[in-house]
């Protein structure tokens, strides 16, 4: 092993909080050699970010670090600010998770890239500017010269993160610390950012620390891996060793919990196939939800959040809905539940056309159709006990039930979702995210609905918790034969549960097929790109994978041309013209693909 | 920042220990409030001042409007400066004013008026503000636009001047004082309540309740109002001192409470005129008023820290 | 940007119009005319006076006459001070009030920002607690208490510091001489210093905790640059929004300060007009005040848009 450029020895980080001292990092030691990529993986609260924030002297004011951090033999810990600043930002740089809040809102991209450079090396402004433009081109920001003068809020998420990377590489560092650099991004954008980072690593010979919760990301880029849990390193070693021969139980658990695209049915419960003669529950046809958006004082334009979606759902069936941010998947869920008024189209439930204006329909619908939300804490009223939250639909929909009966049912339901019924009088803030999401599931299940819509129901959770909740939902489905609409940006999760999958792009369906077909035989270029972008937690597969890349970012949903990204030949070159709508074409039984141009690969 | 997730085993152990009792946000907030020393001391002091104001007639043998020409502008017996013209005698603890009335009783009677104005007016503004803000926020749309436009326009008026006009034009009375100051203070309340309602309205738990079939009225009662309470309570504690200040301001200018009734503003105004020869006439009412305002502000700050949703 | 400014300006005009209308009709609602307190005049003389002030005409007509005069910057005659028009009196008083107000504002902004930033940088240390306790004093102790007490100390008792006489005049304008300005400006500025320093402390702490300041620190920038470039701009935004209310606060305070220190500003005219029921003078002063408040709100809006690139000029 070559001489390490960065050594951490016996690092401890403690935070003084109102509830006493928190020992966030315990006795961590690690080395980074020149030009290598170290992956640091762990779940939220494992202290993985704090290790490097401490090393860079960036702990929040209540934090204390002890131990030793050496850069090329020089001790960094306890160094006064002005001495630390000679290394920080010049030899060692850092990229943060959320590029919007991590960039100063009132400074242009150019100014922010140049200021670091100019404070470390006394170079004239025009030289710095030329260097900044050069580096923006390296991270493939188009029209770099104009971007220099733009403010962070004027760029998309992917562009912002590129600017952030440019900022961190402009001074030619030896070590680049990337703290969850792709977590806030869509999966296709994540793939582009990871590509850029891989290139930087191989071209500039910069050592990289990749901090991530995502084993797939780590598998694709790291040379060596450190697994962290509760502030400690539980296992360390070369990437292949960690993934193919994990020693520690926790590492195994992490790898197993990670949902995989290439292998379905991670859950022990076999997916219960719906009976072939199962009745049709839900029939959605040509559903449209448009929001008026003010673009100028007197001009509003429709934002076509959902633009002509049709599908049917049978009893016991699970439909996966997949798409990136802004594709309209959450709007679709709310429109089906009649939480949002639809602009056009129909929703037929058990043969009845649902009319939002009829109270009777709505009441009946609420009892049979329920939803589990994304953010477990936000979807529970902080001032209600979990018992009250779970009981609420019962009170509202079955007001005749006696009090004891309600309480009994709530307790039974809590037990079914794996919560201690004794916790009935506790409040959401006393629980973890996973426990709160169990409360959310219990609230949805209490009225014994025929269909539950899970809107990104596990996206905010750690992988191990994610797996538990997915398993819970699958078990409940097997017991009750309910139908599920499982909405997620994460194809791998959807793959675990869904019998059929819909891929949404800009409010329109681009492909429908059963679960296996969509992964093994995707036809639409967007589906292909989406699938190839999902990182697989398997280093050899991940590195050998042929990538189908999408150029650029998602277009603005306000642009009428946006849904025609894959059918450029039909675009009418006018901002206001009614554009062509791609038709769905059946390629094999049950497999529909939207019209698209042939992609030359 | 690391978030500490209570692990399941721990939570289960705690359950058994404290049988099915949850810690609500209110309980948490109360604990934090009582840990705030400044706020606790303020609450005690305020309680004492309020009690003294209520019991004023029992605490001294002098009546608030009885003049005694033998002791005009006399210092209390314990006054350290011996160059004063006269000493008032044993039971005039705070000395006497320029017509020989007992200052101690008058300060307490002033407290009655000032505190009453503070409370009643804040209630008036609370009522108008909460109703107005909640309606605008919950219904939203065009109605919200219009209602908030009205508030914006009123906000940019120099409102204290309108209060003065009101007091000039109509006969000065306590009732009018309540109405006039209340008419100024409700604007901020309406803004706060509307903003809060809007943000609560878009929370996922409201959507969850709707999906669970809960009707609009029940949603407002069960979910919107309890979550609105925190900011409203904070604002109320901060409005009371504002109102007391506004009243004393008017009284100081001679546009507030009329003789023989008194308020801290009136007393301070009298005291300021006499301060060269009788500084106690300024110092005692000013001290009581400042102390009261201090208390309210510390309690308000304490409540803000205790109820601040950012902490969660 | 220019069209944004123009739109905001046009938007402010109706507000001013509403204030004028509101004030006018409230005055006219007042029971009893402005001359009631005079000794009883023969009816014909009273009629003549009323005719001279247009009081014999219907209210709506009076309103239009008033508006018409206003459009020519004519605020009408004073009801009580017979030899002067309202316009003349305001012209005499405004420079005094303006100087007082602007000096107090400058003082408040300077010390408010300085104290607030220092407190934020020393969060939860002695300096911070000291500044915040002082600020609490500034907020809770009203102008009409600080004014007499400071007068007592610096004016009446007099202060000798190392042999220097630091006594200050306790009243009078003296053509705006510096010694005469010190006490009134200080008294006027104190509550605003307190409010602004609390405001700035809060927003600075928030900015210092932000992710973008962490990024700036990670770049290895020296502390003063981080404060100057990254922190200060965002921490001053709430102060800009507070400019409007600050002006209202200063105007209110000026009523007291001009009264106590006997300064010939429009605030004192207003109080005297209120006590004498001089309606035209009251109206005149209110309109001038409203113009200032609306104007400063406008300036604050524009300043905000300049400081924060995220504000769009559309809408």
């Amino acid at each position: 092993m070559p001489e390490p450029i960065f050594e951490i020895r016996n690092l401890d980080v403690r935070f003084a909080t109102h509830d006493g001292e928190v020992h966030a990092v315990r006795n961590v030691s690690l080395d980074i050699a020149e030009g290598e990529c170290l992956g640091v993986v762990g779940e939220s609260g494992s202290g993985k970010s704090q290790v490097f924030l401490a090393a860079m002297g960036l702990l929040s004011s209540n934090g204390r670090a002890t131990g030793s951090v050496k850069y090329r033999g020089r001790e960094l810990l306890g160094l006064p600010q002005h001495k630390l600043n000679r290394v920080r930002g010049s030899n060692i740089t850092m990229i943060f998770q959320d590029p919007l809040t991590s960039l100063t809102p009132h400074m242009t991209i150019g100014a922010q890239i140049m200021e670091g450079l100019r404070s470390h090396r006394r170079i004239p402004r025009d030289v710095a500017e030329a260097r900044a433009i050069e580096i923006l081109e390296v991270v493939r920001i188009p029209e770099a010269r104009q971007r220099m003068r733009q403010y962070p809020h004027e760029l998309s998420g992917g562009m912002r993160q590129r600017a952030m990377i440019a900022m961190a590489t402009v001074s030619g560092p030896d070590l680049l610390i990337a703290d969850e650099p792709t977590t806030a991004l869509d999966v296709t954008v994540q793939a582009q950012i990871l590509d850029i980072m891989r290139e930087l690593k191989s071209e500039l010979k910069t050592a990289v620390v990749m901090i991530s919760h995502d084993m797939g990301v780590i598998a694709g880029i790291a040379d060596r891996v450190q697994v962290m849990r509760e502030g400690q390193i539980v296992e360390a070693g070369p990437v292949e060793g960690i993934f193919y021969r994990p020693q520690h139980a926790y590492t195994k658990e992490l790898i197993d919990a990670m949902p995989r695209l290439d292998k379905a049915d991670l859950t022990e419960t076999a997916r219960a196939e719906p009976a072939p003669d199962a009745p049709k529950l839900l029939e959605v046809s040509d559903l449209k939800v448009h929001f008026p958006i003010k673009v100028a004082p007197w001009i509003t334009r429709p934002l076509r959040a959902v633009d002509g979606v049709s599908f049917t759902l049978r009893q016991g069936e699970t439909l996966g809905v997949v798409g990136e941010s802004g594709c309209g998947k959450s709007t679709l869920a709310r429109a089906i539940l009649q939480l949002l008024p639809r602009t056009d189209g129909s929703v037929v439930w058990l043969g009845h056309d649902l009319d939002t204006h009829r109270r009777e329909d709505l009441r009946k619908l609420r009892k049979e159709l329920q939803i589990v939300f994304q953010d477990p804490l936000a979807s529970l009223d902080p001032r209600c006990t979990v018992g009250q939250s779970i009981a609420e639909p019962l009170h509202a929909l079955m007001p005749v039930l006696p009090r004891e009966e309600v309480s009994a049912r709530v307790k039974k339901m809590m037990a079914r979702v794996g919560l201690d019924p004794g916790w009935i009088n506790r409040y959401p803030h006393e629980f973890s995210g996973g426990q709160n999401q169990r409360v959310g599931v219990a609230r949805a299940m209490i009225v014994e609905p025929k269909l539950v819509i899970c809107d990104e129901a596990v996206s905010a959770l750690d992988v191990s918790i994610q797996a538990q909740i997915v398993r819970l939902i699958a078990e409940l489905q097997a017991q009750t034969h309910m139908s599920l609409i499982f909405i997620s940006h994460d194809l791998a999760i959807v793959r675990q549960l869904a019998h059929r999958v819909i891929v949404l792009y800009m409010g329109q369906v681009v492909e429908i097929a059963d679960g296996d077909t969509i992964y093994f035989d995707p036809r639409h270029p967007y589906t292909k790109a989406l699938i190839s972008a999902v990182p697989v937690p398997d280093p050899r597969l991940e590195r050998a994978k042929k990538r189908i890349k999408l150029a650029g970012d998602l277009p603005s949903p306000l642009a009428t041309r946006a849904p025609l990204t894959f059918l450029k030949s039909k675009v009418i070159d006018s901002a206001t013209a009614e554009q062509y709508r791609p038709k769905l074409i059946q390629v094999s039984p049950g497999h529909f693909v939207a019209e698209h141009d042939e992609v030359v690969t | 920042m690391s978030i500490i997730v209570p692990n399941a085993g721990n939570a289960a152990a705690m359950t058994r220990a404290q049988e099915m009792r949850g810690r609500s946000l209110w309980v948490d907030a109360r604990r934090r409030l009582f840990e705030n020393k400044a706020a606790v001391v303020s609450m005690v002091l305020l309680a004492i001042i309020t009690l003294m104001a209520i019991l004023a007639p029992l605490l001294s043998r002098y009546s608030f409007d009885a003049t005694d020409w033998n002791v005009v502008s006399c210092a209390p017996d314990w006054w350290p400066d011996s160059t004063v013209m006269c000493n008032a005698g044993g039971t005039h603890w705070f000395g006497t004013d320029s017509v020989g009335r007992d200052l101690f009783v008058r300060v307490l009677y002033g407290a009655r008026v000032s505190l009453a104005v503070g409370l009643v007016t804040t209630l008036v503004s609370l009522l108008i503000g909460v109703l107005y803000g909640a309606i605008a926020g919950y219904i939203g749309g065009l109605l919200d636009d219009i209602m908030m436009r009205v508030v914006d326009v009123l906000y940019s008026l120099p409102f204290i001047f309108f209060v003065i006009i009101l007091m000039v034009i109509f006969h000065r009375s306590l009732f009018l004082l309540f109405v006039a100051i209340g008419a100024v203070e409700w604007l901020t309340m309406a803004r706060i309540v509307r903003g809060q309602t809007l943000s609560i309205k878009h929370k996922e738990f409201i959507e969850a309740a709707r999906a669970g079939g809960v009707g609009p009225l029940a949603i407002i009662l069960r979910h919107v109002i309890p979550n609105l309470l925190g900011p409203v309570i904070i604002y109320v504690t901060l409005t009371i001192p504002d109102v007391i200040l506004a009243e004393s301001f008017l009284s100081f200018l001679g546009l507030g409470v009329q003789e023989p009734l008194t308020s801290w503003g009136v007393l301070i105004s009298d005291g300021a005129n006499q301060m060269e020869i009788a500084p106690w006439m300024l110092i005692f009412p000013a001290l009581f008023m400042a102390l009261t305002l201090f208390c309210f502000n510390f309690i308000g700050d304490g409540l803000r820290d205790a109820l601040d949703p950012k902490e969660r | 940007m220019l069209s944004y400014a123009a739109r905001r300006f046009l938007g402010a005009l109706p507000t001013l119009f509403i204030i004028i209308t509101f004030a006018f009709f409230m005055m006219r609602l007042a029971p009893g005319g402005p001359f009631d307190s005079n000794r009883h005049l023969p009816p014909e003389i009273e009629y003549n006076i009323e005719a001279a002030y247009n009081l014999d005409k219907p209210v709506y007509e009076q309103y239009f006459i008033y508006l018409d005069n206003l459009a020519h910057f004519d605020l009408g005659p004073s009801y009580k001070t017979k030899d002067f028009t309202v316009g003349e009196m305001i012209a005499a008083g405004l420079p005094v009030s303006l100087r007082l107000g602007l000096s107090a504002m400058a003082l408040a902004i300077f010390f408010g920002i300085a104290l607030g930033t220092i407190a934020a940088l020393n969060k939860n240390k002695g300096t911070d607690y000291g500044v915040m306790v002082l600020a609490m004093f500034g907020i809770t102790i009203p102008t009409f208490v600080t004014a007499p007490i400071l007068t007592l100390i610096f004016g009446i008792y007099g202060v000798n510091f190392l042999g220097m006489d630091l006594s200050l005049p306790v009243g009078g304008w003296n053509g705006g001489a510096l010694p005469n300005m010190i006490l009134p400006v200080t008294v006027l500025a104190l509550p605003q210093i307190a409010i602004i320093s609390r405001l700035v402390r809060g927003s600075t702490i928030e900015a210092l905790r932000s992710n973008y300041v962490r990024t700036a620190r990670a770049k290895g920038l020296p502390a003063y640059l981080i404060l100057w470039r990254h922190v200060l701009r965002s921490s001053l935004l709430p102060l800009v929004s507070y400019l409007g209310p600050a002006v209202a606060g200063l105007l209110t305070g000026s009523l007291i300060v001009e009264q106590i220190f006997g300064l010939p500003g429009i605030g004192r005219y207003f109080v005297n007009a209120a006590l004498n029921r001089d309606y035209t003078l009251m109206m005149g002063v209110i309109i001038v005040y409203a113009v200032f408040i609306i104007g400063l709100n406008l300036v604050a809006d524009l300043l905000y848009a300049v400081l924060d690139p995220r504000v769009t000029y559309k809408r």
Side-chain angles (χ1 to χ4, degrees), chain A residues 22 50 60 334 339 366 370-371 373 375 378-383 392-393 396-397 422-423 425 427 429-430 432 443, chain B residues 1 4-6 15 20 22-26 28 204-205 207-214 222-223 226-227 312:
Chain A
V22 176
Q50 298 304 337
S60 60
R334 281 159 180 74
L339 289 173
R366 298 269 182 255
Q370 279 293 322
I371 181 166
F373 292 94
D375 184 343
S379 59
L380 296 172
D381 186 338
R383 307 218 176 262
E392 190 161 50
L397 299 170
W423 293 343
N425 286 327
Y427 289 86
H429 66 100
E430 299 174 275
S432 68
R443 172 173 58 187
Chain B
M1 235 121 300
I4 310 307
V5 180
T15 321
M20 293 210 222
R23 240 172 350 112
S24 79
L25 291 183
W26 294 117
D28 264 12
E204 267 186 356
F205 63 80
E207 221 170 17
R210 282 176 62 207
V214 185
R222 207 172 317 153
H223 298 296
N227 282 290
R312 306 255 118 245

Side-chain angles (χ1 to χ4, degrees), chain A residues 566-584:
Chain A
F566 300 99
L567 195 58
K568 289 259 163 57
S569 53
K570 296 273 185 164
V571 169
I572 305 164
D573 194 13
S574 149
T576 48
E578 192 60 35
Q579 296 284 351
Y580 180 76
R581 299 174 56 86
K583 290 188 184 69
L584 285 174

Side-chain angles (χ1 to χ4, degrees), chain A residues 125-171:
Chain A
R125 205 192 141 77
D126 52 331
V127 178
E129 195 168 337
R131 175 87 184 105
I133 291 172
E134 194 183 305
I135 200 83
L136 281 177
E137 276 160 2
V138 169
V139 297
R140 280 187 252 120
I141 290 189
E143 294 143 6
R145 201 168 282 277
Q146 282 93 292
R147 301 290 185 193
M148 292 278 286
R149 283 192 295 274
Q150 285 188 309
Y151 290 98
H153 72 275
E154 296 171 307
L155 303 183
S156 66
M159 284 299 154
R160 269 183 229 128
Q161 195 55 289
R162 283 165 209 231
M164 189 93 189
I165 295 173
M167 207 176 290
T169 42
V170 71
S171 59

